[in-house]
Structures are given as C-alpha cells and as structure tokens.
Amino acid sequence: MLSDRIVITGIAINTPLGDTLDNVGNHLLAGKSAIGYWDRIDTSKIYSKIGGQLPDYCVEDKLRSFDGRVPDSVLAQAERVFKQTTKGVQLSVLMAMDAWLDAGLFELPLDPYKSGVICGGHNLSDKYLLDQQAIFLDEPEFIDAFSGLNSLDTDHSSSVAQVLNAKGLAYLIGGTCATGNVAMQAAINAIKVDNKQVVAVVCPMASFHPMMLHSLTILEAICYGQYQDTPTKASRPYDVNRSGFLPCEGGAVLILEDAECAKRRGAKIYAELLGVSVNSDANHLGDPSHEGQVQVIQDVLTKCHIAKEQVDYVCAHATSTKLGDIVELRSIRKVFGSHAEKLIINAPKSLLGHTMWASGVVEAAVAIWQMRRGEFHQSHNIETLDPAVDLNVCADGNVNKDVEIFINNSFGMGGINSASLFRRYHV
C-alpha cells in the first residue's frame, strides 16, 4: 500500500565544485566559486569568455570506481551503454548510478515495472549535433554510426533506464530553467497517480557551445561587459553592479520514493518533498513576471497545506540579472508579508553559476544538504547591496539556522514559473 508522502532517498551531483554532495556543500560554505575561463569552448568569436566547466573528468575512471559496489550485471550494462553514447549521456548514467547506490536500491529485489526515470532537460545534444554536422559537410560517411540515436535527448533517459533496469517509465521533460521542478512534479504524479514506488529524477548537464553562449549574450542574459578579468566575481545576485548570469556545467539526480516503502526498507531519508507547482506567463520571452511568481509560490503552499509562517528558508532563483533578482524578492515579500523578514534567502548561483535546465535539481540538492547541516552559505560578491533589496539575502556571511521547511524557486525563459516545497523528514 503506497502512502501519500514522497521522500528523497538518494542524491547525486556533479559540478565544477565536486562530484559528491558533501564536497559541493562544503565548497559552498567555504565560498569557493565554480566560475572561471572556458578552455574547452572556442570563445574567440564571442563576447563572453567566462563560465563554469567541469575539470578534466575521466568517465572511465568513475565507472571503474563502481566495481564491487554494484552488481556485475549493472556494471556490464553501463559498459555496454558507454560504448555507444556521448560523454554527456555517460555523465548522466554515472550520476544516476551514484544516486541509486546512495538510496540502497541496487541491493533490493525491486519490481522493475515499479521504478522509473524522468530526465529533465532539452537541447542536451546541441554541441554533438553541431560537431556531427561539421563532419557531415566534410564527408558524410564519417559521421558517428550512432548519431541517429545519440542526437536524441531521450538517449539520456533510455540509457539511464537500461543501466538501472527501470521499466516502469523513462522519458524526458523540459521547461527551460524551471525544468528541475517540472521534472519533480512529473515524478510526484508517477508515484501518486501511476503507483510507481521509486523514480529517478535525472537532470543532465547543459550542452554549451559558442553559438548558444553568444546568442544569450545578444539577449543580454549572460554577463559579458564586466568581470571578464575576474570571473569568480562575475556572478553577483543582489549587487548593484550585477550584469547577467554565468552559465555553468553541472547536473544532479534525486531519487524520489514513496515514503512508506522507504520506511519499510529502512532507507536513509534526506527530506520530504511536499509538492511542486508550475504555471505559465503565456509569454514566449524571458521577462520575469511578478504576478506569475506570486501565484506559483502561493499555489505550492496552498496545495501542500503549509502556512506561510511555517517556511524558514528560500533557495532563490537569483540569477544575477538586473530585473530578475528584484522581481523575485518582490514576489517573496508579496506572498509572505511581514514573515518575509524572518526568512533567510540565499543565491546558489553566486557560486555555482547557472546550471540551466539542471539548476532546479542541483540547487534542491544543495539546499537539502544545508538544511540537514543547519548552515546556509552566503550570497557572494555583494560589494554594494542594491537599495531595492530589503530582505535577508545572506549578504554578510554564512547563516546558522534550524530549518524545517524551505521553498526552491526556479523560473524559466518562456514564462515558466515553478516552486518546490521541502520539509525535514519526520516519521
């Protein structure tokens, strides 16, 4: 019998700050930035030269690290997938294996039709497609023999499902920068409506390439006019001199599980996911909407039967854009009224940069880690606080606080607003 509660039993993450949750969390508390110079992307013809990229990361070494820790059959499937897929898919598979292992699911006789994979993201193969197009123009016969499959974003979800033997469902869902929350909402429905026991929410790394970065610069979305010589200072939500977000490689996986099943098997439980709300501004542009943000935050509180006074912390979307940061704070104040002044709010993107479609899950993971620790990282690079900022955005240092409930905001281009609500788990 499934319960009506959903919990997080496994987490995996991979960013320039590390590929374990403890490493990333501790680096955030220490104020370490993920932002530097692109050295694997040709920036000679584009304005912005800075962003966050993984250090040299050997996927083969990481795969070998699972030897003896997962069943041989799982490792054999992963090795088979690795021979036929791109590095981006391989990174998704590795994160999923980490999270599944963290949840203790490899050791269970789990009904494969009760487990599933929901992959959050889109444009995940852009650079691969551009590279294959260049090869095709030179000599069509030399393109990758698997390009017809590897060019599909669903290669992430199907490859992960193959390795985890998750046969209940495996598909891909997208919502620009709100994708992480959108994917979590789909996973909630899979458990509550379709009676799945466990769903891996996999948010792969964005596929950055020069044209993508340049197009975002032309839209004046990413930072390019300032801080090109001091990249670690470039992402500065709430600072008066902020000038756009900093794109960053990074992905994460959350294992969502029916609470009763998790409790019955003695699983480690990180947190309870109370719910997610998503709405639309009915606008294809990237302008933030105060109305839409207020509505989505109110909706998630209402549907989860949580009073605004019960919320302690907001993991802010806060991308370091002139308009977006202040609209979000105005929305928070509108929803929470006088209680807004009791909230702590911090900006993970001040250190992690913007992991794009993965950001909702990446930031949920580090928010859960901070809640369990009772310490929240500073919003960095605030040298001159914007006078419009009138709430506690952790501008002066890390904050120690006991948090029971937090909201994770994610707002995407195309008018997609989302908020997820988490609670410290109690039996």
PDB file of all heavy atoms in Angstrom, residues 404-426:
ATOM      1  N   GLU A 404      12.940  23.881   9.035  1.00  0.00           N
ATOM      2  CA  GLU A 404      12.024  22.754   8.907  1.00  0.00           C
ATOM      3  C   GLU A 404      11.466  22.652   7.488  1.00  0.00           C
ATOM      4  O   GLU A 404      11.284  21.560   6.959  1.00  0.00           O
ATOM      5  CB  GLU A 404      10.872  22.895   9.900  1.00  0.00           C
ATOM      6  CG  GLU A 404      11.230  22.537  11.329  1.00  0.00           C
ATOM      7  CD  GLU A 404      11.481  21.042  11.513  1.00  0.00           C
ATOM      8  OE1 GLU A 404      10.723  20.231  10.947  1.00  0.00           O
ATOM      9  OE2 GLU A 404      12.445  20.703  12.217  1.00  0.00           O
ATOM     10  N   ILE A 405      11.186  23.813   6.875  1.00  0.00           N
ATOM     11  CA  ILE A 405      10.553  23.828   5.558  1.00  0.00           C
ATOM     12  C   ILE A 405      11.223  24.889   4.693  1.00  0.00           C
ATOM     13  O   ILE A 405      11.489  26.004   5.157  1.00  0.00           O
ATOM     14  CB  ILE A 405       9.039  24.114   5.669  1.00  0.00           C
ATOM     15  CG1 ILE A 405       8.328  22.979   6.414  1.00  0.00           C
ATOM     16  CG2 ILE A 405       8.402  24.302   4.286  1.00  0.00           C
ATOM     17  CD1 ILE A 405       6.853  23.217   6.667  1.00  0.00           C
ATOM     18  N   PHE A 406      11.491  24.539   3.439  1.00  0.00           N
ATOM     19  CA  PHE A 406      12.030  25.546   2.520  1.00  0.00           C
ATOM     20  C   PHE A 406      11.381  25.443   1.152  1.00  0.00           C
ATOM     21  O   PHE A 406      10.846  24.397   0.769  1.00  0.00           O
ATOM     22  CB  PHE A 406      13.559  25.453   2.409  1.00  0.00           C
ATOM     23  CG  PHE A 406      14.093  24.287   1.607  1.00  0.00           C
ATOM     24  CD1 PHE A 406      14.227  24.354   0.225  1.00  0.00           C
ATOM     25  CD2 PHE A 406      14.502  23.120   2.251  1.00  0.00           C
ATOM     26  CE1 PHE A 406      14.748  23.302  -0.504  1.00  0.00           C
ATOM     27  CE2 PHE A 406      15.016  22.053   1.531  1.00  0.00           C
ATOM     28  CZ  PHE A 406      15.137  22.143   0.146  1.00  0.00           C
ATOM     29  N   ILE A 407      11.453  26.564   0.443  1.00  0.00           N
ATOM     30  CA  ILE A 407      10.960  26.651  -0.933  1.00  0.00           C
ATOM     31  C   ILE A 407      12.161  26.775  -1.872  1.00  0.00           C
ATOM     32  O   ILE A 407      13.137  27.474  -1.576  1.00  0.00           O
ATOM     33  CB  ILE A 407      10.026  27.859  -1.102  1.00  0.00           C
ATOM     34  CG1 ILE A 407       8.627  27.535  -0.571  1.00  0.00           C
ATOM     35  CG2 ILE A 407       9.908  28.297  -2.562  1.00  0.00           C
ATOM     36  CD1 ILE A 407       7.616  28.643  -0.748  1.00  0.00           C
ATOM     37  N   ASN A 408      12.062  26.087  -2.998  1.00  0.00           N
ATOM     38  CA  ASN A 408      13.088  26.137  -4.036  1.00  0.00           C
ATOM     39  C   ASN A 408      12.452  26.740  -5.288  1.00  0.00           C
ATOM     40  O   ASN A 408      11.614  26.108  -5.934  1.00  0.00           O
ATOM     41  CB  ASN A 408      13.598  24.715  -4.302  1.00  0.00           C
ATOM     42  CG  ASN A 408      14.602  24.645  -5.427  1.00  0.00           C
ATOM     43  OD1 ASN A 408      15.485  25.483  -5.538  1.00  0.00           O
ATOM     44  ND2 ASN A 408      14.478  23.630  -6.265  1.00  0.00           N
ATOM     45  N   ASN A 409      12.847  27.972  -5.623  1.00  0.00           N
ATOM     46  CA  ASN A 409      12.278  28.670  -6.778  1.00  0.00           C
ATOM     47  C   ASN A 409      13.083  28.413  -8.041  1.00  0.00           C
ATOM     48  O   ASN A 409      14.323  28.440  -8.010  1.00  0.00           O
ATOM     49  CB  ASN A 409      12.256  30.189  -6.538  1.00  0.00           C
ATOM     50  CG  ASN A 409      11.200  30.620  -5.553  1.00  0.00           C
ATOM     51  OD1 ASN A 409      10.216  29.920  -5.330  1.00  0.00           O
ATOM     52  ND2 ASN A 409      11.391  31.783  -4.958  1.00  0.00           N
ATOM     53  N   SER A 410      12.398  28.222  -9.152  1.00  0.00           N
ATOM     54  CA  SER A 410      13.040  28.147 -10.472  1.00  0.00           C
ATOM     55  C   SER A 410      12.114  28.781 -11.496  1.00  0.00           C
ATOM     56  O   SER A 410      10.952  28.369 -11.619  1.00  0.00           O
ATOM     57  CB  SER A 410      13.322  26.694 -10.879  1.00  0.00           C
ATOM     58  OG  SER A 410      14.335  26.123 -10.083  1.00  0.00           O
ATOM     59  N   PHE A 411      12.632  29.765 -12.219  1.00  0.00           N
ATOM     60  CA  PHE A 411      11.839  30.469 -13.227  1.00  0.00           C
ATOM     61  C   PHE A 411      12.558  30.378 -14.572  1.00  0.00           C
ATOM     62  O   PHE A 411      13.751  30.681 -14.664  1.00  0.00           O
ATOM     63  CB  PHE A 411      11.650  31.932 -12.812  1.00  0.00           C
ATOM     64  CG  PHE A 411      11.148  32.097 -11.400  1.00  0.00           C
ATOM     65  CD1 PHE A 411      11.866  32.820 -10.466  1.00  0.00           C
ATOM     66  CD2 PHE A 411       9.968  31.491 -10.992  1.00  0.00           C
ATOM     67  CE1 PHE A 411      11.421  32.954  -9.162  1.00  0.00           C
ATOM     68  CE2 PHE A 411       9.507  31.611  -9.685  1.00  0.00           C
ATOM     69  CZ  PHE A 411      10.244  32.353  -8.766  1.00  0.00           C
ATOM     70  N   GLY A 412      11.827  29.969 -15.598  1.00  0.00           N
ATOM     71  CA  GLY A 412      12.457  29.718 -16.882  1.00  0.00           C
ATOM     72  C   GLY A 412      12.027  30.664 -17.977  1.00  0.00           C
ATOM     73  O   GLY A 412      10.928  31.227 -17.945  1.00  0.00           O
ATOM     74  N   MET A 413      12.917  30.841 -18.952  1.00  0.00           N
ATOM     75  CA  MET A 413      12.569  31.605 -20.147  1.00  0.00           C
ATOM     76  C   MET A 413      11.328  30.992 -20.786  1.00  0.00           C
ATOM     77  O   MET A 413      11.121  29.783 -20.751  1.00  0.00           O
ATOM     78  CB  MET A 413      13.728  31.600 -21.141  1.00  0.00           C
ATOM     79  CG  MET A 413      14.907  32.453 -20.729  1.00  0.00           C
ATOM     80  SD  MET A 413      16.141  32.541 -22.041  1.00  0.00           S
ATOM     81  CE  MET A 413      17.329  33.646 -21.295  1.00  0.00           C
ATOM     82  N   GLY A 414      10.526  31.842 -21.389  1.00  0.00           N
ATOM     83  CA  GLY A 414       9.257  31.384 -21.927  1.00  0.00           C
ATOM     84  C   GLY A 414       8.153  31.451 -20.897  1.00  0.00           C
ATOM     85  O   GLY A 414       7.087  30.845 -21.071  1.00  0.00           O
ATOM     86  N   GLY A 415       8.405  32.180 -19.798  1.00  0.00           N
ATOM     87  CA  GLY A 415       7.364  32.409 -18.814  1.00  0.00           C
ATOM     88  C   GLY A 415       6.964  31.193 -18.006  1.00  0.00           C
ATOM     89  O   GLY A 415       5.793  31.017 -17.647  1.00  0.00           O
ATOM     90  N   ILE A 416       7.929  30.313 -17.690  1.00  0.00           N
ATOM     91  CA  ILE A 416       7.631  29.114 -16.904  1.00  0.00           C
ATOM     92  C   ILE A 416       8.069  29.365 -15.462  1.00  0.00           C
ATOM     93  O   ILE A 416       9.257  29.513 -15.184  1.00  0.00           O
ATOM     94  CB  ILE A 416       8.342  27.877 -17.474  1.00  0.00           C
ATOM     95  CG1 ILE A 416       7.993  27.705 -18.965  1.00  0.00           C
ATOM     96  CG2 ILE A 416       7.941  26.619 -16.691  1.00  0.00           C
ATOM     97  CD1 ILE A 416       8.809  26.652 -19.660  1.00  0.00           C
ATOM     98  N   ASN A 417       7.110  29.424 -14.569  1.00  0.00           N
ATOM     99  CA  ASN A 417       7.380  29.664 -13.151  1.00  0.00           C
ATOM    100  C   ASN A 417       7.166  28.375 -12.369  1.00  0.00           C
ATOM    101  O   ASN A 417       6.207  27.641 -12.611  1.00  0.00           O
ATOM    102  CB  ASN A 417       6.439  30.738 -12.603  1.00  0.00           C
ATOM    103  CG  ASN A 417       6.514  32.020 -13.405  1.00  0.00           C
ATOM    104  OD1 ASN A 417       7.576  32.610 -13.544  1.00  0.00           O
ATOM    105  ND2 ASN A 417       5.377  32.443 -13.952  1.00  0.00           N
ATOM    106  N   SER A 418       8.048  28.112 -11.398  1.00  0.00           N
ATOM    107  CA  SER A 418       7.901  26.888 -10.616  1.00  0.00           C
ATOM    108  C   SER A 418       8.440  27.087  -9.211  1.00  0.00           C
ATOM    109  O   SER A 418       9.336  27.911  -8.982  1.00  0.00           O
ATOM    110  CB  SER A 418       8.630  25.716 -11.289  1.00  0.00           C
ATOM    111  OG  SER A 418      10.034  25.867 -11.169  1.00  0.00           O
ATOM    112  N   ALA A 419       7.893  26.335  -8.287  1.00  0.00           N
ATOM    113  CA  ALA A 419       8.363  26.326  -6.899  1.00  0.00           C
ATOM    114  C   ALA A 419       8.139  24.951  -6.316  1.00  0.00           C
ATOM    115  O   ALA A 419       7.065  24.363  -6.487  1.00  0.00           O
ATOM    116  CB  ALA A 419       7.628  27.379  -6.076  1.00  0.00           C
ATOM    117  N   SER A 420       9.145  24.419  -5.654  1.00  0.00           N
ATOM    118  CA  SER A 420       9.019  23.136  -4.954  1.00  0.00           C
ATOM    119  C   SER A 420       9.162  23.382  -3.459  1.00  0.00           C
ATOM    120  O   SER A 420       9.835  24.324  -3.030  1.00  0.00           O
ATOM    121  CB  SER A 420      10.068  22.130  -5.443  1.00  0.00           C
ATOM    122  OG  SER A 420      11.372  22.676  -5.435  1.00  0.00           O
ATOM    123  N   LEU A 421       8.524  22.531  -2.676  1.00  0.00           N
ATOM    124  CA  LEU A 421       8.459  22.713  -1.229  1.00  0.00           C
ATOM    125  C   LEU A 421       8.970  21.453  -0.537  1.00  0.00           C
ATOM    126  O   LEU A 421       8.470  20.351  -0.787  1.00  0.00           O
ATOM    127  CB  LEU A 421       7.017  23.002  -0.819  1.00  0.00           C
ATOM    128  CG  LEU A 421       6.759  23.526   0.593  1.00  0.00           C
ATOM    129  CD1 LEU A 421       7.391  24.899   0.794  1.00  0.00           C
ATOM    130  CD2 LEU A 421       5.255  23.607   0.849  1.00  0.00           C
ATOM    131  N   PHE A 422       9.965  21.638   0.320  1.00  0.00           N
ATOM    132  CA  PHE A 422      10.591  20.511   1.015  1.00  0.00           C
ATOM    133  C   PHE A 422      10.461  20.680   2.520  1.00  0.00           C
ATOM    134  O   PHE A 422      10.430  21.795   3.036  1.00  0.00           O
ATOM    135  CB  PHE A 422      12.084  20.427   0.665  1.00  0.00           C
ATOM    136  CG  PHE A 422      12.375  20.070  -0.764  1.00  0.00           C
ATOM    137  CD1 PHE A 422      12.364  21.044  -1.753  1.00  0.00           C
ATOM    138  CD2 PHE A 422      12.678  18.762  -1.118  1.00  0.00           C
ATOM    139  CE1 PHE A 422      12.642  20.724  -3.072  1.00  0.00           C
ATOM    140  CE2 PHE A 422      12.960  18.432  -2.433  1.00  0.00           C
ATOM    141  CZ  PHE A 422      12.936  19.421  -3.415  1.00  0.00           C
ATOM    142  N   ARG A 423      10.444  19.544   3.226  1.00  0.00           N
ATOM    143  CA  ARG A 423      10.363  19.571   4.681  1.00  0.00           C
ATOM    144  C   ARG A 423      11.360  18.563   5.271  1.00  0.00           C
ATOM    145  O   ARG A 423      11.605  17.499   4.692  1.00  0.00           O
ATOM    146  CB  ARG A 423       8.945  19.209   5.134  1.00  0.00           C
ATOM    147  CG  ARG A 423       8.767  19.148   6.661  1.00  0.00           C
ATOM    148  CD  ARG A 423       7.303  19.133   7.074  1.00  0.00           C
ATOM    149  NE  ARG A 423       6.569  18.005   6.534  1.00  0.00           N
ATOM    150  CZ  ARG A 423       5.238  17.924   6.552  1.00  0.00           C
ATOM    151  NH1 ARG A 423       4.507  18.909   7.065  1.00  0.00           N
ATOM    152  NH2 ARG A 423       4.627  16.865   6.039  1.00  0.00           N
ATOM    153  N   ARG A 424      11.921  18.919   6.401  1.00  0.00           N
ATOM    154  CA  ARG A 424      12.725  17.954   7.148  1.00  0.00           C
ATOM    155  C   ARG A 424      11.832  16.743   7.450  1.00  0.00           C
ATOM    156  O   ARG A 424      10.679  16.900   7.854  1.00  0.00           O
ATOM    157  CB  ARG A 424      13.217  18.603   8.439  1.00  0.00           C
ATOM    158  CG  ARG A 424      14.201  17.745   9.225  1.00  0.00           C
ATOM    159  CD  ARG A 424      14.553  18.432  10.524  1.00  0.00           C
ATOM    160  NE  ARG A 424      15.255  19.687  10.307  1.00  0.00           N
ATOM    161  CZ  ARG A 424      16.565  19.807  10.153  1.00  0.00           C
ATOM    162  NH1 ARG A 424      17.317  18.725  10.164  1.00  0.00           N
ATOM    163  NH2 ARG A 424      17.119  20.987   9.986  1.00  0.00           N
ATOM    164  N   TYR A 425      12.358  15.554   7.249  1.00  0.00           N
ATOM    165  CA  TYR A 425      11.515  14.367   7.385  1.00  0.00           C
ATOM    166  C   TYR A 425      11.279  14.006   8.847  1.00  0.00           C
ATOM    167  O   TYR A 425      12.215  13.933   9.648  1.00  0.00           O
ATOM    168  CB  TYR A 425      12.138  13.172   6.670  1.00  0.00           C
ATOM    169  CG  TYR A 425      11.322  11.911   6.810  1.00  0.00           C
ATOM    170  CD1 TYR A 425      10.098  11.777   6.168  1.00  0.00           C
ATOM    171  CD2 TYR A 425      11.755  10.870   7.635  1.00  0.00           C
ATOM    172  CE1 TYR A 425       9.333  10.622   6.313  1.00  0.00           C
ATOM    173  CE2 TYR A 425      11.002   9.716   7.783  1.00  0.00           C
ATOM    174  CZ  TYR A 425       9.785   9.610   7.118  1.00  0.00           C
ATOM    175  OH  TYR A 425       9.025   8.473   7.275  1.00  0.00           O
ATOM    176  N   HIS A 426      10.022  13.772   9.178  1.00  0.00           N
ATOM    177  CA  HIS A 426       9.621  13.236  10.475  1.00  0.00           C
ATOM    178  C   HIS A 426       8.693  12.057  10.234  1.00  0.00           C
ATOM    179  O   HIS A 426       7.836  12.109   9.357  1.00  0.00           O
ATOM    180  CB  HIS A 426       8.885  14.289  11.311  1.00  0.00           C
ATOM    181  CG  HIS A 426       9.698  15.524  11.582  1.00  0.00           C
ATOM    182  ND1 HIS A 426      10.718  15.561  12.506  1.00  0.00           N
ATOM    183  CD2 HIS A 426       9.651  16.764  11.033  1.00  0.00           C
ATOM    184  CE1 HIS A 426      11.253  16.764  12.529  1.00  0.00           C
ATOM    185  NE2 HIS A 426      10.633  17.515  11.646  1.00  0.00           N
TER     186      HIS A 426
END
